[in-house]
């Protein structure tokens, strides 16, 4: 089967996180949610009011790589729920656009990836710049897309399920704002790597996306 790194990139609301975790547990690989790292640094910036690069340098981040239990600890405290809240979601793109923040987190991501590949043989890594910057030599790169409407609906369902108030209109505006910001920033903008396989998930449910991904993996393995 496919060993090494599987890079999963794309805008928000494509079902990336859920699919990445399922894919990782099916393949018995590790899992890394790089968005959670940018979110945790953003939370620390909001809490301390400090300079983003300085916060990224000093915050103690512990990111779990078990797809069944991807823990996120900030200075030893579980922040997995809080980093998905509206305050962090509103501020995360701005923090992620700081070149020094990206340099620090990309270094950490490469170290985590190397160690998990070493011990477990494989890892599924999700984000915006995995195929282009973090792991340009990944064995497989997949770029997930979906219509803005489908993405807003998925995000709204996730938010509601997690007990957060959300409307499709509000979420659509947020999804579009964040994607514009992420795609137009100077450092490592969101874009499909030339050698990535593009998968449009607009009309697929979770099982459908997973089946397509496993077919892609099999065809490469
Ligand atoms: O994937 P998620 O929605 O949690 O990511 C939150 C934000 O973190 C994105 O909107 C983007 O600004 C940033 N991000 C990034 N590079 C990554 C992963 C996330 O810039 N590899």
């Amino acid at each position: 089967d496919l060993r090494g790194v599987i890079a999963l990139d794309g805008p928000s609301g494509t079902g990336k996180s859920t699919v990445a975790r399922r894919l990782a547990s099916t393949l018995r690989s590790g899992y890394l949610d790089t968005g959670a790292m940018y979110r945790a640094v953003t939370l620390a910036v909001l809490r301390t009011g400090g300079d983003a690069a300085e916060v990224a340098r000093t915050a103690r981040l512990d990111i779990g790589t078990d797809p069944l239990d991807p823990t996120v600890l900030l200075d030893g405290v579980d922040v997995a729920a809080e980093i998905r809240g509206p305050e962090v979601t509103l501020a995360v793109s701005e923090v992620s656009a700081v070149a020094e923040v990206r340099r620090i987190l990309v270094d950490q991501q490469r170290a985590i990836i190397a160690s998990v590949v070493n011990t477990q043989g494989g890892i599924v890594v999700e984000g915006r710049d995995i195929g282009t910057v973090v792991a340009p030599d990944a064995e497989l790169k997949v770029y997930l897309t979906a219509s803005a409407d489908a993405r807003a609906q998925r995000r709204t369902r996730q938010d509601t399920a997690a007990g957060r108030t959300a409307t499709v209109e509000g979420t659509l505006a947020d999804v579009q704002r964040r994607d514009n910001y992420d795609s137009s920033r100077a450092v490592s903008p969101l874009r499909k790597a030339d050698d990535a396989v593009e998968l449009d998930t607009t009309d697929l449910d979770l099982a459908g996306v997973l089946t397509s991904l496993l077919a892609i993996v099999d065809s490469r393995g």
Side-chain angles (χ1 to χ4, degrees):
D1 60 3
L2 194 102
R3 310 307 280 173
V5 181
I6 298 183
L8 220 52
D9 289 300
S12 44
T14 48
K16 219 172 13 160
S17 289
T18 315
V19 153
R21 291 178 56 181
R22 289 285 192 93
L23 182 64
S25 58
T26 306
L27 298 174
R28 303 195 185 291
S29 293
Y31 161 72
L32 180 62
D33 178 1
T34 60
M37 298 173 72
Y38 288 97
R39 286 174 179 273
V41 168
T42 303
L43 178 63
V45 169
L46 292 175
R47 279 181 179 171
T48 61
D51 169 70
E54 185 56 27
V55 169
R57 244 188 312 273
T58 52
R60 202 155 48 80
L61 273 187
D62 270 301
I63 303 290
T65 56
D66 176 354
L68 300 178
D69 184 24
T71 48
V72 186
L73 303 185
L74 175 62
D75 297 321
V77 179
D78 179 353
V79 294
E82 200 174 351
I83 59 169
R84 315 273 164 214
E87 294 83 7
V88 171
T89 299
L90 201 61
V92 64
S93 286
E94 210 179 316
V95 172
S96 309
V98 178
E100 182 66 2
V101 170
R102 302 202 71 83
R103 206 189 53 72
I104 293 163
L105 291 190
V106 167
D107 274 356
Q108 292 180 10
Q109 289 156 13
R110 289 185 177 148
I112 296 170
I113 292 167
S115 125
V116 172
V117 167
N118 237 333
T119 53
Q120 250 180 289
I123 186 167
V124 177
V125 187
E126 67 151 300
R128 302 291 187 288
D129 61 342
I130 311 307
T132 52
V133 174
V134 176
D137 50 1
E139 275 69 17
L140 174 64
K141 302 177 185 180
V142 179
Y143 191 80
L144 293 181
T145 61
S147 72
D149 261 8
R151 295 189 287 119
Q153 300 212 4
R154 280 183 193 142
R155 270 279 144 129
T156 309
R157 274 200 301 273
Q158 280 172 9
D159 281 341
T160 311
R164 294 184 292 265
T165 355
T167 63
V168 177
E169 298 72 40
T171 310
L172 178 61
D174 173 70
V175 158
Q176 286 175 328
R177 175 189 62 79
R178 211 140 51 89
D179 291 347
N180 288 337
Y181 208 119
D182 293 344
S183 310
S184 59
R185 71 181 171 220
V187 226
S188 317
L190 166 67
R191 85 175 168 79
K192 177 185 163 300
D194 294 334
D195 52 351
V197 180
E198 187 165 336
L199 180 60
D200 184 341
T201 69
T202 305
D203 299 316
L204 296 174
D205 60 7
L206 173 58
V209 179
L210 197 59
T211 306
S212 307
L213 280 180
L214 286 170
I216 297 171
V217 169
D218 276 347
S219 73
R220 297 297 188 85

